[in-house]
Amino acid sequence: METTATILHADLDAFYASVEQLLDPSLRGKPIAVGGGVVLAASYEARAFGVRGGMPGRKARELCPQLIFVGGNFSHYQRLGDAAIKVLDDFTPVVERISIDEAFADVAGCTHLFGQPQEIATAIRRRVRAELGLPISIGVAPTKHLAKIASQVAKPDGLLVVDPGNELAFLHDLPVSLMWGVGPATKARLAEIGIETIGELARTHSGALTRLLGPAAGEKLAALAWNRDPRKLETGRRAHSAGAQSALGQKPAVAQVIVPTLLHLADRVASRLRAKARPGRTVTVRVRFADLSAVTRSITLDQPISATTMLAEIAGDLVRGVLADHSREKTISLLAISVSHLEESAELQLDLPLGLADEKRRPGSKKGLARFGADRAIDKIRERFGKQAVGYGTVALEAARSVPDEFRELAEKEL
């Protein structure tokens, strides 16, 4: 574990909304939201009224009647996000980018060139503001988890250094929601047993956390609560999975909603798998209900897949299984698909034409090969004429219209 605070976590503030205010100066200082039917991102002025990403547009307008909605300049998001990360690259080669607008950097090897970590962080913030016109917050700490929390505490447009020896004093008074891996559902479960701060989590018996969250999550959060985080930065790593999700608001759990949504999600995931020639064996779905509780299900296949309709059908079976086991839940708010156990260069084993019931879901069968061939034809058409040129049915495109694909792709990690 690091004994000095040399890890930086840099995070552009309210990135999408800040870019819109940069491109249109008349929006500066005003509450704005990127999106329409769904809030994709909100400025700090809008957040002051309770407006948040993922919120239905109608509710956002109720909370903030003066809210201004803007469409979204996706090419500028990518350009400015890349430029901000390039500033980090100018100080150290040890940079781990984790999304379009945030990254870790380890500056232990460059202090003799650029000064102490706090000076480097100050220089980065100054350059991003001067060269790009964007605010960026940076946390500096001995570990990745602590640096990320520090950057969140520093927001908006701030810098916070957590020196060795002060880690627990800083960490334990903070809310558990700042921890990596604590979402609304986990936060609610922890609140049920009286845990609201990281310190309270640290002092909770490990057995209670294991019973509440499961062994993996319980052990992980307990370690992070004591700042036990030995992870090093990973540069140039390849993703171990590919996924996509769709926030639905409040929709009935019926086939007319589920089938087109899963087909659209499968299209997004499978096209990325094919583009990188990395099919996967394990398919996982996540279903979130109206009360924000969520259930995941997965299946590991005999052969890796990357065909769109094949993935959609397998995901559909998993979702139906979830709904059958939770028959009282009639409303869903989110669906997600991910594929893991990716293979670099899978050898396709051809199947004999035995007339099996699941033949069309077998990559090596005649029907499976035909499905993959259709996908590759669609890929080529899209490469030449754009993604909207051809799809898997207008109903799938209608299901995704509230959130543009350009925005989704920026939020999804590349393989």
Side-chain angles (χ1 to χ4, degrees):
M1 182 175 294
E2 296 289 343
T3 57
T4 57
T6 63
I7 296 178
L8 280 58
H9 180 262
D11 193 357
L12 290 156
D13 297 320
F15 178 52
Y16 302 107
S18 294
V19 171
E20 297 301 330
Q21 291 174 323
L22 174 68
L23 298 175
D24 184 355
S26 69
L27 297 175
R28 294 176 186 173
K30 298 179 181 179
I32 72 165
V34 181
V38 175
V39 175
L40 306 179
S43 67
Y44 280 101
E45 296 86 355
R47 294 182 188 185
F49 291 87
V51 179
R52 295 289 185 271
M55 177 179 290
R58 180 180 300 177
K59 182 178 180 181
R61 287 189 177 91
E62 292 175 354
L63 293 172
C64 181
Q66 63 269 46
L67 186 65
I68 302 171
F69 273 91
V70 295
N73 291 277
F74 303 102
S75 61
H76 289 292
Y77 300 159
Q78 187 69 65
R79 174 180 62 84
L80 290 168
D82 291 345
I85 303 302
K86 179 64 171 62
V87 173
L88 298 178
D89 292 335
D90 289 344
F91 287 88
T92 174
V94 188
V95 175
E96 178 185 344
R97 188 173 186 174
I98 56 176
S99 72
I100 188 175
D101 59 348
E102 61 178 319
F104 289 104
D106 192 338
V107 298
C110 61
T111 54
H112 62 293
L113 293 174
F114 304 111
Q116 293 303 304
Q118 182 171 351
E119 296 176 283
I120 295 173
T122 300
I124 291 171
R125 294 185 64 243
R126 183 171 56 246
R127 279 191 53 185
V128 170
R129 173 67 79 173
E131 297 173 15
L132 305 178
L134 294 172
I136 187 169
S137 295
I138 298 181
V140 185
T143 65
K144 291 175 70 174
H145 182 247
L146 201 58
K148 183 171 175 64
I149 288 181
S151 72
Q152 306 312 302
V153 175
K155 287 181 174 294
D157 196 17
L159 168 62
L160 180 61
V161 179
V162 183
D163 291 315
N166 296 324
E167 298 98 332
L168 298 183
F170 164 75
L171 191 61
H172 281 181
D173 288 335
L174 297 174
V176 290
S177 57
L178 287 178
M179 296 183 71
W180 212 340
V182 176
T186 301
K187 178 184 175 182
R189 291 193 188 100
L190 292 172
E192 289 174 0
I193 60 173
I195 298 176
E196 295 185 352
T197 69
I198 298 175
E200 290 169 343
L201 175 62
R203 292 186 290 271
T204 301
H205 191 276
S206 59
L209 292 178
T210 297
R211 287 191 297 272
L212 183 68
L213 305 175
E219 292 175 10
K220 177 183 177 182
L221 290 182
L224 293 177
W226 287 104
N227 194 39
R228 293 195 291 267
D229 182 14
R231 295 172 300 165
K232 303 296 182 182
L233 270 67
E234 299 181 45
T235 60
R237 65 177 181 174
R238 301 195 76 186
H240 300 294
S241 65
Q245 65 180 33
S246 179
L248 302 173
Q250 301 288 325
K251 297 285 187 177
V254 296
Q256 292 91 327
V257 173
I258 293 170
V259 172
T261 301
L262 290 179
L263 180 57
H264 185 72
L265 293 175
D267 185 16
R268 287 161 51 196
V269 174
S271 61
R272 292 163 61 204
L273 295 176
R274 293 192 299 272
K276 300 295 183 179
R278 299 190 70 195
R281 288 180 179 272
T282 300
V283 178
T284 303
V285 299
R286 181 167 179 253
V287 183
R288 191 176 70 193
F289 300 114
D291 62 356
L292 299 184
S293 63
V295 177
T296 60
R297 290 284 171 85
S298 63
I299 185 173
T300 298
L301 309 170
D302 293 335
Q303 292 192 63
I305 66 169
S306 60
T308 295
T309 51
M310 201 177 293
L311 176 58
E313 290 172 1
I314 293 170
D317 287 347
L318 293 173
V319 170
R320 282 188 288 274
V322 169
L323 295 176
D325 291 341
H326 297 78
S327 56
R328 293 184 179 181
E329 300 289 350
K330 304 300 182 183
T331 303
I332 55 177
S333 59
L334 178 142
L335 287 173
I337 297 176
S338 67
V339 179
S340 56
H341 292 126
L342 307 184
E343 299 196 359
E344 295 286 349
S345 55
E347 294 184 2
L348 182 61
Q349 181 177 344
L350 299 180
D351 291 350
L352 294 173
L354 301 176
L356 300 175
D358 64 344
E359 183 178 332
K360 64 180 181 179
R361 297 185 185 177
R362 292 176 172 269
S365 70
K366 184 177 180 179
K367 291 182 179 179
L369 291 170
R371 285 180 153 190
F372 184 79
D375 286 334
R376 292 302 297 147
I378 288 176
D379 293 339
K380 291 179 180 179
I381 293 172
R382 288 173 169 176
E383 288 171 8
R384 183 170 181 180
F385 299 105
K387 290 193 174 181
Q388 300 303 318
V390 63
Y392 292 86
T394 56
V395 67
L397 298 177
E398 289 290 338
R401 188 162 290 174
S402 62
V403 181
D405 280 346
E406 295 93 336
F407 187 90
R408 300 178 192 268
E409 289 166 3
L410 292 180
E412 294 166 0
K413 292 181 180 179
E414 287 296 327
L415 296 177

